[in-house]
Amino acid sequence: MSLREQQAALMAALSGQGPMAAGWDADRVRATAVALVHKRSRSVARTWPSLKAMLVDDYVACFARYASQHPLPREGGALADGRAFARWLAPLNDWSDAVHRQALQVDLHHAQDAAGLRVRRGPSVRLAWLPGARCWLLGMRWPGWGEREFSLRWVRGQHRKPANPRAYKAD
């Protein structure tokens, strides 16, 4: 096995994406892998505080499960890793309004691709449902002009007249 192949096997073992590399001390590789996952989770927690606040005590365990299935994105660092973690977490857990807002802000400024996140150059419009506030949040960004957020509230039945016409009283 060449040096390049040994290094690739070690990196796969450290990231949890492959079996234990032959010729390496298994305990040390496992300890290093755990330390790297914790370092990665701390970076995501600093970049995405709303995710950590939403998961509270389950954050480290959830992130460890995610990290064992997903390598660190090549581009975008902790921001891209946090966005991928949020996408992975969506079917497993209802997002808080803070996570929805933060995801909207990231999506306004960045586009997802195979390597991670890349910065958007043109205008962007995104829509997010905030379940706690029971409203839609519309985010718009136009380079050079800035960005705006609008809350769009829709109350069920607000657009209909009551069935009883006498319900309308003249003041």
Side-chain angles (χ1 to χ4, degrees), residues 100-101 103-109 120 123-130 136-142 146-152:
H100 281 287
R101 283 183 181 277
L104 181 111
Q105 284 298 314
V106 170
D107 292 344
L108 279 175
H109 291 272
R120 290 185 190 275
S124 177
V125 176
R126 293 288 175 267
L127 190 64
W129 173 251
L130 303 179
W136 288 97
L137 184 64
L138 175 69
M140 297 188 300
R141 184 180 145 279
W142 194 276
E147 61 186 64
R148 300 284 184 264
E149 283 185 0
F150 302 96
S151 292
L152 307 173

Side-chain angles (χ1 to χ4, degrees), residues 1-169:
M1 185 183 277
S2 70
L3 178 61
R4 180 177 294 201
E5 291 169 339
Q6 288 177 354
Q7 288 174 336
L10 177 62
M11 289 306 298
L14 286 174
S15 65
Q17 305 300 314
M20 187 60 62
W24 296 92
D25 182 1
D27 291 336
R28 286 185 178 181
V29 171
R30 259 189 245 103
T32 305
V34 168
L36 288 173
V37 168
H38 283 292
K39 180 179 180 181
R40 195 172 151 192
S41 74
R42 286 191 308 269
S43 295
V44 169
R46 277 193 304 273
T47 308
W48 286 80
S50 56
L51 278 173
K52 186 171 182 188
M54 180 183 77
L55 294 172
V56 192
D57 296 333
D58 295 336
Y59 174 76
V60 174
C62 283
F63 191 86
R65 277 194 314 251
Y66 158 77
S68 69
Q69 299 170 10
H70 297 86
L72 183 66
R74 287 179 296 185
E75 296 178 18
L79 187 65
D81 204 14
R83 187 62 181 104
F85 177 48
R87 277 194 181 95
W88 176 84
L89 196 59
L92 307 175
N93 196 336
D94 292 331
W95 286 2
S96 67
D97 286 358
V99 173
H100 281 287
R101 283 183 181 277
Q102 192 165 10
L104 181 111
Q105 284 298 314
V106 170
D107 292 344
L108 279 175
H109 291 272
H110 299 86
Q112 182 80 34
D113 64 12
L117 291 178
R118 63 176 170 74
V119 176
R120 290 185 190 275
R121 301 278 181 227
S124 177
V125 176
R126 293 288 175 267
L127 190 64
W129 173 251
L130 303 179
R134 297 182 45 83
C135 70
W136 288 97
L137 184 64
L138 175 69
M140 297 188 300
R141 184 180 145 279
W142 194 276
W145 289 7
E147 61 186 64
R148 300 284 184 264
E149 283 185 0
F150 302 96
S151 292
L152 307 173
R153 296 196 186 277
W154 178 264
V155 178
R156 176 172 257 160
Q158 185 178 16
H159 62 288
R160 297 185 192 136
K161 292 182 182 178
N164 181 0
R166 288 186 228 159
Y168 292 107
K169 293 184 180 179

